[in-house]
Structure formats: C-alpha cells, structure tokens
Amino acid sequence: MHEIFEGIEAVVFDFDGTLIDSLGMWHEIDVEYTNMLGVDLPENFQKQIEGMHYPDVARYFKKLFNIDKTIEEIMADWNEMAIDRYSNSLKLKEGSVELMQMLKNKGIRLAIATSNARELIDASLKGHGIDGFFSVLCTSEDVKKGKPDPEVYTIAVRKLNIAPDKCLAFEDLPMGLISARDAGLKTCAVYDEYSEYVDSEKRKIADYYVSSFKELL
C-alpha cells in the first residue's frame, strides 16, 4: 500500500471536484439559473462561494441578486436541475472506485465530508453504485458553518470515532484543505481541471498532492 496511508485508519473524501467531476456542472447551473433571473453571473463568483455550504450559497445568491424566493426554494430549484446529472451523467474521478475498494479491503474506513446537500450526495452514490463504501456521510445539513471552518471534518471524525491524526482527507480546493488541516487531519490535494488556477496554493497547504487516484493504487 502507498506510504501516504501509513498509520491511517480512516480516509475522508470531499465530494465535488474530488470524487466526482461536478464543478463545471455547477457553473453551468449557476449560469442557467441567473439567465432565468435575467442577470449576469459575476466573473469572480466561484471564488466567492468556495467552501460555502449549500444553504450559505443560496443565501448569498438570494442577497446578491435580490431573489424573491426563500432559501429553501432556491435550493430546491438547484436540486431539481442537478439531481439527474448527479445520478447519471457525471463521472467519478479516474481510479476512485479502485482506490475505495482497496482501502475497504485493507480495513480502512471511508467517509465523506462535503458542503453539498445530502439529497444530491445520496442520489449520486446510489447512481454510481458506491454507497456501500461509506460508513459516515457529513453534509451541509450536519453543519452550521461551511469550509474553511473545520466543523464538517470535526463532525465526520467524531462519527468515525477515530483520532484526527489517524485520518487522511482528500480535497480539491484550498478552503477544503484548510478545513481538514484545522480539524487535525492529514491532507492530500487532488488535481481537478476546474480548479487548476489554485493548484500551487493547494500544494502549499496539503501534506500530499496527487494528479490522479491511480497514483495510489
């Protein structure tokens, strides 16, 4: 087994951009939704919402564009636009399934710590047939603060009942890496084409870096 897993008893994955190629899809949904509202998406929008958990993004959207809908209604709109994509068309990162199977076979527990909504995560895990890998799911419904606050990882580790320094987090964005690091986990940055512009920042924050999960098989 790769040296990155030495002394590790649990691996915690971020979801979007880490396990699944979905960040480009969210940008498409943001553009489509703002077009429906008759407004333009600011150029720096993705950077502004990095790490926010789902309700906070909806809250930011509502305030920024003065939307006459509740936070819950905005999230429901997004879920409707995203759920089929998550269940069917989005692809898992190369080597991810093989890596999860290898870790499970070695007795290493798996968890997800994401800013996304549980409904979408559940749909995607079931749609891709990987829901059986994870003993813990920590989503936006479980936390009050989004990344870079460490809360989502603190809760995930508590549910795993494993010491943070024996857990390894895989993340594709700086805010997520900071969240995991501040919760006491070891961290590995994962390359994602959509976030290539912050690659050097990710390398500085993380303990490890991989271009592909295939490197760890």
Side-chain angles (χ1 to χ4, degrees):
M1 182 175 276
H2 196 282
E3 62 181 17
I4 195 175
F5 301 113
E6 186 175 341
I8 295 299
E9 296 180 10
V11 170
V12 186
F13 293 92
D14 170 53
F15 196 68
D16 294 277
T18 299
L19 274 182
I20 195 165
D21 283 316
S22 58
L23 294 184
M25 178 216 73
W26 275 113
H27 179 67
E28 291 171 6
I29 286 178
D30 291 338
V31 172
E32 185 178 335
Y33 199 64
T34 51
N35 284 344
M36 288 165 54
L37 297 171
V39 295
D40 294 323
L41 198 67
E43 286 186 12
N44 66 341
F45 183 76
Q46 295 302 318
K47 187 65 177 175
Q48 293 299 316
I49 64 171
E50 183 184 318
M52 284 187 186
H53 75 320
Y54 211 45
D56 281 343
V57 178
R59 198 169 287 112
Y60 180 71
F61 229 93
K62 177 178 172 64
K63 183 178 179 181
L64 182 64
F65 300 113
N66 193 28
I67 302 173
D68 187 24
K69 288 189 175 187
T70 66
I71 304 302
E72 290 73 22
E73 287 171 337
I74 293 171
M75 291 192 294
D77 288 343
W78 291 342
N79 285 359
E80 187 177 342
M81 297 168 76
I83 197 161
D84 180 64
R85 292 176 170 97
Y86 269 102
S87 301
N88 300 303
S89 59
L90 293 178
K91 294 182 179 180
L92 295 171
K93 287 291 188 76
E94 190 176 26
S96 59
V97 176
E98 293 86 348
L99 176 62
M100 289 186 288
Q101 187 64 63
M102 182 187 76
L103 293 172
K104 186 176 182 180
N105 292 345
K106 295 290 185 179
I108 294 175
R109 297 181 67 196
L110 304 181
I112 285 177
T114 175
S115 300
N116 208 335
R118 181 172 293 272
E119 179 186 7
L120 296 179
I121 299 302
D122 284 342
S124 190
L125 295 181
K126 290 173 183 175
H128 289 91
I130 59 172
D131 48 316
F133 282 120
F134 302 98
S135 57
V136 168
L137 297 181
C138 194
T139 68
S140 62
E141 286 88 341
D142 301 306
V143 299
K144 295 179 180 178
K145 299 176 181 178
K147 303 170 184 178
D149 189 278
E151 184 181 21
V152 68
Y153 278 101
T154 299
I155 292 175
V157 167
R158 188 185 306 142
K159 288 183 176 181
L160 285 164
N161 196 27
I162 295 174
D165 63 355
K166 294 187 182 299
C167 299
L168 174 68
F170 285 102
E171 278 275 1
D172 68 299
L173 290 172
M175 292 295 188
L177 290 164
I178 292 170
S179 173
R181 181 196 66 190
D182 289 354
L185 288 76
K186 294 178 181 176
T187 58
C188 181
V190 179
Y191 172 79
D192 184 66
E193 182 180 1
Y194 193 75
S195 61
E196 191 171 15
Y197 67 100
V198 289
D199 226 45
S200 60
E201 186 180 351
K202 286 156 57 172
R203 288 175 182 268
K204 291 176 184 176
I205 298 168
D207 298 307
Y208 308 99
Y209 178 94
V210 292
S211 299
S212 167
F213 287 127
K214 293 176 68 177
E215 298 171 22
L216 304 176
L217 299 176

